[in-house]
Amino acid sequence: MNTPDPLSATLSALADPTRRAILARLARGEATVNELAAPFDISLPAVSRHLKVLEQAGLISRGREAQWRPCRLEAAPLEAVAGWVERYRRFWDGSFDRMDDYIAQLTKGDPDGDRH
């Protein structure tokens, strides 16, 4: 079985709203599996499966403190997604700037923007 590239693994993990909610909670600080499961109406094993996907994507890590295994958010994969999206934001910003210039040319000399 082929392992997806890191960006694909991150985007796949982020595709699920439960996993995004877990990451939002972890953005506030470490939490146990039970703490992460509390707001959801799903089983503890289901939450554990979500955590496994997040961990495999590198979005979370699990520590070990005696019997407690806190989960924590890992920022690096999110930074990679942000960098990937940034390239496209610059593209769209440039497209909108060109569209603004084009509209300005169309309406040049007509303060109401009406074309005759």
Side-chain angles (χ1 to χ4, degrees), residues 12-47:
S12 179
L14 293 172
D16 186 276
T18 300
R19 292 193 285 266
R20 291 192 306 270
I22 289 170
L23 292 177
R25 166 53 188 88
L26 290 174
R28 298 191 324 258
E30 293 181 355
T32 65
V33 174
N34 286 336
E35 291 169 335
L36 293 171
F40 302 107
D41 190 23
I42 58 177
S43 68
L44 202 54
V47 171

Side-chain angles (χ1 to χ4, degrees), residues 2-115:
N2 288 341
T3 304
D5 65 278
L7 181 60
S8 294
T10 301
L11 292 172
S12 179
L14 293 172
D16 186 276
T18 300
R19 292 193 285 266
R20 291 192 306 270
I22 289 170
L23 292 177
R25 166 53 188 88
L26 290 174
R28 298 191 324 258
E30 293 181 355
T32 65
V33 174
N34 286 336
E35 291 169 335
L36 293 171
F40 302 107
D41 190 23
I42 58 177
S43 68
L44 202 54
V47 171
S48 292
R49 286 190 294 274
H50 283 297
L51 293 174
K52 183 176 180 181
V53 170
L54 292 169
E55 191 171 22
Q56 288 173 338
L59 289 162
I60 68 166
S61 61
R62 297 188 199 197
R64 182 171 295 290
E65 298 174 19
Q67 298 296 331
W68 192 56
R69 291 199 64 200
C71 297
R72 69 183 56 87
L73 180 65
E74 297 295 335
L78 294 173
E79 291 169 1
V81 170
W84 182 79
V85 169
E86 177 64 19
R87 291 193 309 257
Y88 293 94
R89 186 191 64 78
R90 283 184 282 192
F91 167 78
W92 283 110
D93 284 350
S95 296
F96 288 134
D97 289 345
R98 287 189 300 279
M99 185 173 61
D100 287 344
D101 292 344
Y102 179 70
I103 291 170
Q105 287 176 354
L106 290 176
T107 60
K108 193 173 190 177
D110 189 348
D112 295 327
D114 294 333
R115 293 183 59 205

